[in-house]
Amino acid sequence: MKKSMFLVLALFAFAAIFTACKSAPIALADHSPIAVITVVGNHSLPWKEDDDPNADTEKGQDGTLTTLVNKLIGGNNIEFTSGQDRIDYAYDAFNSLLEEVGGYEVVPKETVQNSREYLNARENIFNVLEARVKATGTKDFMKAGSMRGRSFTKDMGAKSLIFAEFKFQKTNVRGNKWTGQVAASVTMRVRVLDENGKELIDREYSAVSPDALQISGRKYDKDRLVEMVNETIDLTINKFIMDYIS
């Protein structure tokens, strides 16, 4: 009986230790300096598809064909023309918020972009099919593996690497697309590799802008919506940072 009780207690203790080790939180401070390697995103601001389950889902996509069409007919639409500025904002925001909010040491983006390994590395040939916008001066290594991770960290003097992919959208928060309210929606997938190329984090975060704009006859203040997207980018990045502050 005593022997059986001892075995049960031992099993419980082992399970508790195993669970604690398995769920031990990751502290990014232990993996600093951090280098932001890739920040990519879609070009325009399509409607969020789940706003209207009966809508044609192709209308909400931002693929290669849609991007080309937008370039031809949407030349003056700020939701499209601001695409590069939007992803550049996300890139700069990631670098600055890691320092200002998280208190982490961040490898300067000039060091990242001018490192030998980064300059010599080639992007995946299939990236061109995804019609994603890259932050100015960067490359799309969203799918980077352990070998590339090790070479980047060593060359850049980093202990971890961040790769982020954004989905920028607009969403109905009240009424419909004719008469209602529209808000900015941002979804971000973020990957983090350590200096050994091991994947520490692969998670998705999302946020909707606190403010909403009135829609009347399908019209709304597009300039303000674009501003709201940038504000929502900050919210999304901060959600990620706060999850890993030690």
Side-chain angles (χ1 to χ4, degrees), residues 144-161:
S146 58
M147 186 178 298
R148 179 156 286 170
R150 288 193 297 271
S151 66
F152 279 175
T153 52
K154 184 177 180 180
D155 195 41
M156 298 170 188
K159 281 187 134 182
S160 61
L161 311 173

Side-chain angles (χ1 to χ4, degrees), residues 181-217:
Q181 289 185 331
V182 59
S185 172
V186 173
T187 301
M188 174 186 73
R189 179 194 171 200
V190 58
R191 295 182 67 219
V192 180
L193 302 184
D194 69 9
E195 60 189 326
N196 298 312
K198 177 185 176 183
E199 185 173 80
L200 297 175
I201 300 167
D202 187 352
R203 290 188 62 183
E204 191 172 275
Y205 292 84
S206 60
V208 175
S209 60
D211 297 331
L213 301 172
Q214 198 65 36
I215 306 172
S216 179

Side-chain angles (χ1 to χ4, degrees), residues 7 10 16 26 28 78 94 113 124 135 158 162 165 168 175 181 186 199 206 214 217 230-231:
L7 288 173
I26 297 168
L28 281 181
I78 192 172
F94 228 128
Q113 294 178 22
N124 190 315
I162 283 181
E165 179 181 6
F168 306 117
Q181 289 185 331
V186 173
E199 185 173 80
S206 60
Q214 198 65 36
N230 287 351
E231 296 164 5

Side-chain angles (χ1 to χ4, degrees), residues 36-86:
V36 180
I37 301 297
T38 290
V39 176
V40 295
N42 56 307
H43 207 131
S44 62
L45 292 178
W47 285 100
K48 198 169 183 180
E49 294 172 9
D50 59 9
D51 291 340
D52 184 0
N54 297 316
D56 183 354
T57 56
E58 291 185 14
K59 293 180 181 179
Q61 294 178 345
D62 196 25
T64 306
L65 181 58
T66 304
T67 300
L68 292 173
V69 171
N70 282 335
K71 285 182 178 181
L72 292 174
I73 65 175
N76 296 320
N77 184 348
I78 192 172
E79 291 183 3
F80 180 79
T81 59
S82 60
Q84 185 65 59
D85 292 337
R86 185 159 41 251

